[in-house]
């Protein structure tokens, strides 16, 4: 199958690498050097415009920061280059309303659409074990499923266009809530005389545990490693999408409102490149403690 792939960032690159194992890939990236290095590593063809990436492709993937960037690339030539009966699969964690609008436009030209945001981080992308939540029409999903299976382990069709993006935003809101809750909880405990490692030993063998307490805080904070794999700026965007969705549905969601404010503050204080778990650094600074193992 001929596949176009746009966006070789932290998560796009390892996903695209899995696709090169079974398919011919044309890749485009805004910073062209990244597409060139990917091509020399994998044998994919690097191209210089989104239009070229889509030429003759049966499936085109986008993996960009958010839906406005997807719209920008579509308007810049991608949309015109998509052929009837092809499918655009958007791996971006994007905005449900924008996805519905793109899906409607494409469907007028018999082009399929799936919103297909992923969960599992760069480690899951490297291992090819991502969870993929799909919004779109069932026949389009069935057609593309074998390609998704090259990098996904749990692939669930969750509803019509936009549903995948809605679920992803709410899912990431839950991660954000846990990051802030553990930042507050563990710094409070450290000041009260309970070491973070001891606190987590208990929490992780009791019912307050989460992926953040079991994996992210021990591996990234207690170890002092602070790796950068998923930018806090992107989590800020995700929670704002969840909050806006609740607002547009007329749901009162004080947790989403507050966590969104906290993330916007953390984003401003820590900058564009900070990892999402680094929000805990702010709790450490305010409490005057360091959460180390
Ligand atoms: P990165 O910031 O690492 O990469 C972003 C990519 O988008 C780069 O290829 C970048 O190009 C490109 N890009 C940025 N702005 C534009 C633009 N205006 N026009 C065209 N291309 C642009 O992000 P990630 O790869 O981490 O994330 C991509 C998506 O996947 C996001 O929606 C994110 O929320 C989601 N995601 C990320 C996960 C992770 O662990 N990292 C996990 C799950 C989902 P350039 O190289 O030129 O900067």
């Amino acid at each position: 199958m001929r596949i176009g792939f746009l966006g070789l960032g932290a998560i796009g690159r390892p996903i695209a690498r899995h696709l090169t194992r079974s398919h011919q890939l044309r890749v485009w990236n805004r910073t062209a050097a990244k597409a060139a290095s990917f091509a020399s590593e994998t044998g994919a063809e690097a191209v210089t415009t989104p239009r070229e990436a889509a030429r003759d492709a049966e499936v085109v993937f986008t993996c960009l920061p958010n839906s406005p960037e997807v719209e920008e690339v579509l308007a810049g030539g991608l949309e015109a280059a998509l052929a009837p009966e092809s499918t655009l699969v958007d791996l971006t964690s994007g905005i449900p309303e924008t996805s519905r609008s793109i899906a409607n436009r494409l469907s007028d030209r018999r082009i399929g659409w799936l919103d297909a945001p992923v969960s599992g981080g760069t480690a899951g992308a490297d291992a090819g074990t991502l969870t993929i939540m799909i919004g779109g029409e069932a026949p389009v999903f069935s057609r593309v499923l074998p390609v998704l299976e090259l990098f996904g382990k749990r692939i669930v069709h969750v509803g019509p266009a936009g549903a995948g993006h809605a679920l992803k935003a709410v899912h990431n809101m839950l991660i954000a809530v846990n990051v802030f809750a553990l930042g507050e909880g563990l710094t409070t405990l450290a000041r009260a005389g309970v070491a973070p490692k001891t606190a987590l030993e208990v929490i992780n063998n009791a019912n307050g545990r989460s992926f953040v307490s079991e994996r992210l805080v021990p591996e990234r904070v207690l170890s002092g490693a602070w790796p950068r794999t998923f930018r806090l700026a992107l989590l800020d965007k995700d929670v704002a999408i969840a909050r806006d969705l609740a607002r547009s549905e007329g749901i009162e969601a004080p947790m989403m409102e507050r966590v969104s404010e906290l993330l916007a503050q953390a984003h401003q204080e820590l900058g564009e490149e900070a990892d999402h778990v680094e929000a805990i650094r702010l709790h450490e600074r305010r409490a005057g403690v360091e959460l180390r193992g």
Side-chain angles (χ1 to χ4, degrees):
M1 197 182 267
R2 280 181 304 276
I3 294 178
F5 199 101
L6 291 81
L8 298 168
I11 199 103
R13 192 180 181 102
I15 293 175
R17 196 177 300 121
H18 287 291
L19 299 175
T20 58
R21 285 190 284 124
S22 317
H23 298 286
Q24 282 183 298
L25 227 66
R26 277 209 187 106
V27 294
W28 173 83
N29 193 73
R30 181 181 63 174
T31 305
K34 289 190 197 167
S37 83
F38 180 83
S40 66
E41 204 180 281
T42 61
E45 183 188 348
V47 295
T48 54
T49 62
R51 184 188 297 270
E52 282 175 86
R55 187 162 44 86
D56 302 328
E58 286 144 82
V59 180
V60 176
F61 286 91
T62 40
C63 192
L64 303 176
N66 196 1
S67 298
E69 288 82 7
V70 175
E71 283 283 31
E72 196 181 308
V73 166
L74 280 164
L78 173 62
E79 189 157 345
L82 288 168
E85 312 304 338
S86 67
T87 303
L88 179 61
V89 180
D90 187 21
L91 302 166
T92 307
S93 302
I95 302 169
E97 198 186 341
T98 311
S99 304
R100 280 195 295 276
S101 141
I102 299 172
N104 285 338
R105 279 194 332 255
L106 296 182
S107 125
D108 291 343
R109 289 177 46 224
R110 289 185 290 112
I111 298 163
W113 160 272
L114 297 178
D115 36 299
V118 301
S119 176
T122 52
D126 283 334
T129 56
L130 291 169
T131 295
I132 315 177
M133 38 211 114
I134 307 284
E137 290 176 6
V140 180
F141 171 57
S142 305
R143 204 161 67 217
V144 177
L145 183 59
V147 181
L148 301 177
E149 283 171 340
L150 292 170
F151 59 89
K153 191 167 156 200
R154 278 176 223 87
I155 307 170
V156 187
H157 183 211
V158 301
H165 280 158
L167 177 51
K168 174 67 186 178
V170 170
H171 170 271
N172 276 20
M173 181 273 296
L174 297 174
I175 294 179
V177 166
N178 277 289
V179 167
F180 283 109
L182 279 156
E184 286 179 13
L186 293 177
T187 51
T188 302
L189 286 169
R191 287 283 293 270
V194 183
K197 191 163 179 275
T198 309
L200 283 179
E201 263 164 31
V202 173
I203 290 166
N204 288 336
N205 284 292
N207 293 342
R209 67 189 184 279
S210 64
F211 178 73
V212 181
S213 69
E214 288 183 317
R215 299 285 307 276
L216 294 182
V217 174
E219 290 172 13
R220 295 169 179 233
V221 183
L222 266 59
S223 68
W226 300 108
R228 291 185 158 175
T229 62
F230 174 46
R231 294 188 298 118
L232 185 141
L234 294 170
L235 187 61
D236 180 17
K237 167 265 307 180
D238 291 332
V239 177
I241 292 171
R243 177 207 60 200
D244 291 347
L245 185 62
R247 284 182 186 170
S248 71
E249 296 295 344
I251 305 283
E252 204 179 313
M255 184 91 80
M256 296 199 206
E257 295 285 347
R258 185 66 188 130
V259 174
S260 180
E261 282 169 17
L262 291 171
L263 266 170
Q265 261 171 30
H267 183 175
Q268 199 178 8
E269 281 186 52
L270 296 167
E272 289 304 311
E273 297 309 319
D275 187 74
H276 66 304
V277 180
E278 289 185 63
I280 289 180
R281 284 187 195 277
L282 299 179
H283 296 286
E284 289 185 325
R285 280 181 206 163
R286 283 174 201 137
V289 294
E290 281 200 343
L291 304 172
R292 298 294 172 270

